[in-house]
Amino acid sequence: MLLKLPNIKIACILLPLIMMYDVFFVYIQPLIFHNESVMKKVATGGDTHEILPMALIVPNFSNPDSYSMLGYGDIVLPGLLLVYAASFDEINRLTWFRSYFFLEVSSYVLGLVLTLGALALDIGGQGGQPALLYLVPCTLGTILVTSGVRGDLKNMFYSSLPTVVGKDVWPSGGNDDERLEQSGEDQSLLLAAHGED
């Protein structure tokens, strides 16, 4: 099963909604129910302290007895946008200088640095941070602004990238049995853009 974003429009809906979900359960839910964040409790194992394999644990260098966690969702969801950027670069044969992928990797690293800074400053007083609060604006904001300046935003927003695997072309959002029905000329253009003959 291949999971990918077909266009930026889906990212503009999905990523902010999941960011709000993350912020709610880290900052707002403890205020409403007067208890510890459910997200933090699940990630740390609650009373059993048995950590589920859903987070990367990073040592806190300022306090050796504590650690920071980065959930897999904080890696995978912005990672979908990075994969989209790499696909867009490949299909449109963008050079590394104009590459959206390298720009997205840089903005993801910036988002992680901001997250670690917020952890160090203990913003919100929860001892944890909704990493998507920093990652989504950095990654999604960067690609939206840059593609707008370069004139690619309309193409990214409304088009749907095909999935090219070897010499087979599948429609975006389709399954393996649904072949893209295009003329030989259109398929040749897609394959040529992907470096196939």
Side-chain angles (χ1 to χ4, degrees):
M1 182 86 183
L2 182 65
L3 179 63
K4 70 178 193 73
L5 293 172
N7 55 43
I8 290 292
K9 186 183 344 180
I10 302 299
C12 287
I13 297 167
L14 176 70
L15 293 175
L17 285 175
I18 293 178
M19 179 189 74
M20 289 187 289
Y21 169 88
D22 204 16
V23 168
F24 176 82
F25 278 104
V26 172
Y27 290 139
I28 301 169
Q29 176 267 323
L31 297 173
I32 294 173
F33 299 107
H34 307 292
N35 60 5
E36 186 179 21
S37 165
V38 170
M39 301 263 290
K40 186 177 175 187
K41 196 168 193 169
V42 168
T44 58
D47 297 333
T48 64
H49 300 290
E50 187 175 318
I51 298 174
L52 297 173
M54 298 185 323
L56 298 176
I57 298 172
V58 181
N60 188 337
F61 297 111
S62 62
N63 183 0
D65 295 332
S66 68
Y67 54 87
S68 301
M69 291 183 293
L70 184 65
Y72 287 156
D74 300 327
I75 298 167
V76 171
L77 294 169
L80 289 172
L81 191 56
L82 272 70
V83 169
Y84 173 82
S87 298
F88 188 85
D89 290 351
E90 182 69 23
I91 294 293
N92 292 290
R93 292 206 168 266
L94 298 179
T95 63
W96 69 270
F97 183 70
R98 289 191 45 91
S99 172
Y100 287 102
F101 176 73
F102 291 120
L103 187 67
E104 284 298 287
V105 169
S106 301
S107 60
Y108 185 85
V109 169
L110 174 64
L112 283 178
V113 168
L114 291 173
T115 303
L116 293 174
L119 280 168
L121 296 173
D122 196 23
I123 294 176
Q126 296 293 324
Q129 290 296 315
L132 292 176
L133 178 62
Y134 308 98
L135 293 171
V136 169
C138 284
T139 56
L140 188 58
T142 300
I143 199 166
L144 289 174
V145 169
T146 307
S147 63
V149 169
R150 292 181 182 173
D152 291 331
L153 183 58
K154 187 175 181 181
N155 188 19
M156 286 183 166
F157 204 77
Y158 293 109
S159 67
S160 188
L161 294 180
T163 301
V164 180
V165 181
K167 291 192 181 282
D168 296 325
V169 180
W170 285 277
S172 181
N175 61 37
D176 292 348
D177 295 329
E178 297 174 350
R179 300 290 175 137
L180 183 61
E181 294 180 13
Q182 292 185 328
S183 69
E185 181 181 334
D186 290 344
Q187 190 166 5
S188 297
L189 289 173
L190 283 173
L191 294 174
H194 191 64
E196 302 283 334
D197 286 328

